Amino acid sequence: MRLLVFIALGVSLAATAAQSRQIEPFPSSQLVEEKRSAPGHYRLVLSELKRTGAKTYGEQERRLSGQLWRRYWAVDDSFSLDEVGAFFDRQFKQLNLLYQCVGLDCGSSHFWANQVFDNGRLVGREANQRYWVGQRPTADGQTEVWVAYVVQRVSRQVYVALDRLMTAETVSRQVVSEQSISAALRQHYGWLPGLVVNEGSLDQSQSQALLNVLKSLPGRDKRRLYLMVHCYDASDMANNLRCSERLAQQLRVATFDGESELNILGQGALTAAPDDGVAPALRYVFWPQR
């Protein structure tokens, strides 16, 4: 009987979610905590995890600003991880699914609990976790991003973290390769992909494709190339300038070939961002054009 009730309720809620495209909480779960905030650097992980030294990070991440609604649930212990996972999996299929992982493919549970969702209750075994990211455009031109993390603790208790972020920024997975960076450099000027910044500093590991292309340029192109780093996060232009100058210096060091440095300038937010985001961006121009 319990199974029939669960199936009927699950189908009903899934149908409702399909119509409204809202991600519904799992039935028979207790809301433990909820928070509403307006983060300027919401961390959205869109890929498998990497580890460099003592640092774990997503191979592809976005930092977004917007309105965040975050909730945590404890599921009734009569339901299994697979039941809870299947419930959310059905709902995320109604959205534009950007990324998902299951079990060991999700990497460190400590990373998700402490670095992404900021809740130690979510720590469990790596084999017993699920993660989804989905998005949809809204009628007012924003993007609605849904993120769910389901984990089973050692005690067998299943916990769920569910985020809903409303943002004005474009949200998508970006595959940045050396080929795409080289293709962008074939014009006289423009924006270069591949610059990744974490916590205010150049992330050399995630920016490796960009660094490889810049270091491999012929000497003549290196002399003609001018790179301009822009920061947009601060409301004070002076802070944006300091941020961009710091990143420019880090980029000069990271691309030094042992003989000469590239021409790299920090220019704050003195040029409009290439999109609606506030992430640091890299612009270039070849000069003179002969």
Side-chain angles (χ1 to χ4, degrees):
M1 179 63 70
R2 180 181 69 81
L3 181 59
L4 292 176
V5 171
F6 166 71
I7 292 173
L9 184 56
V11 170
S12 175
L13 287 175
T16 301
Q19 293 171 0
S20 64
R21 295 198 177 182
Q22 304 294 304
I23 301 299
E24 298 292 335
F26 187 81
S28 299
S29 60
Q30 179 182 359
L31 182 63
V32 177
E33 185 180 356
E34 67 177 321
K35 304 175 183 178
R36 293 180 186 268
S37 61
H41 288 87
Y42 177 80
R43 187 174 191 175
L44 182 66
V45 179
L46 294 168
S47 68
E48 64 182 18
L49 303 184
K50 296 291 185 181
R51 187 171 179 84
T52 302
K55 185 177 181 181
T56 301
Y57 56 89
E59 188 174 30
Q60 187 172 151
E61 294 188 9
R62 291 289 308 277
R63 301 287 177 151
L64 303 170
S65 60
Q67 299 295 320
L68 175 65
W69 183 23
R70 170 168 287 175
R71 291 167 288 170
Y72 307 103
W73 281 278
V75 177
D76 188 295
D77 58 12
S78 63
F79 291 97
S80 69
L81 174 67
D82 288 339
E83 288 176 303
V84 180
F87 176 82
F88 283 102
D89 196 56
R90 286 193 297 270
Q91 295 192 79
F92 271 87
K93 287 179 179 177
Q94 307 300 322
L95 303 177
N96 175 20
L97 187 64
L98 299 179
Y99 179 68
Q100 70 177 120
C101 62
V102 176
L104 297 176
D105 289 341
C106 296
S108 168
S109 176
H110 285 272
F111 169 81
W112 297 110
N114 299 311
Q115 300 299 317
V116 176
F117 294 102
D118 192 27
N119 192 321
R121 291 175 178 170
L122 300 173
V123 174
R125 292 194 175 101
E126 270 69 49
N128 299 331
Q129 56 183 339
R130 311 281 191 272
Y131 176 76
W132 300 263
V133 181
Q135 63 93 10
R136 72 177 183 96
T138 63
D140 60 358
Q142 294 198 83
T143 300
E144 183 180 36
V145 182
W146 287 93
V147 181
Y149 179 69
V150 176
V151 65
Q152 185 176 59
R153 291 169 53 86
V154 176
S155 64
R156 310 293 295 176
Q157 175 82 58
V158 175
Y159 275 86
V160 177
L162 183 62
D163 284 354
R164 176 181 183 261
L165 181 75
M166 297 297 295
T167 179
E169 301 176 43
T170 302
V171 183
S172 64
R173 294 194 70 190
Q174 297 180 350
V175 179
V176 179
S177 64
E178 293 184 26
Q179 290 76 15
S180 63
I181 296 169
S182 297
L185 275 171
R186 291 177 189 146
Q187 307 301 316
H188 292 302
Y189 58 87
W191 295 94
L192 273 186
L195 177 69
V196 179
V197 176
N198 277 326
E199 298 179 357
S201 296
L202 174 69
D203 189 321
Q204 292 196 35
S205 176
Q206 295 194 71
S207 302
Q208 198 59 56
L210 173 67
L211 301 180
N212 289 343
V213 170
L214 294 177
K215 286 191 287 189
S216 65
L217 288 173
R220 180 174 180 274
D221 285 345
K222 286 184 177 180
R223 291 189 293 272
R224 294 176 56 230
L225 178 65
Y226 285 81
L227 296 168
M228 290 143 285
V229 182
H230 296 279
C231 288
Y232 299 98
D233 183 50
S235 57
D236 184 346
M237 182 62 78
N239 288 334
N240 286 323
L241 286 167
R242 282 192 288 271
C243 165
S244 63
E245 288 165 358
R246 179 178 65 254
L247 292 176
Q249 175 59 25
Q250 294 172 359
L251 193 56
R252 276 193 294 271
V253 172
T255 55
F256 182 62
D257 62 2
E259 297 181 2
S260 60
E261 292 183 345
L262 289 174
N263 305 302
I264 307 176
L265 308 173
Q267 295 201 335
L270 296 177
T271 293
D275 52 35
D276 295 328
V278 295
L282 186 63
R283 191 163 54 96
Y284 78 94
V285 61
F286 280 108
W287 187 264
Q289 298 177 21
R290 295 176 182 171

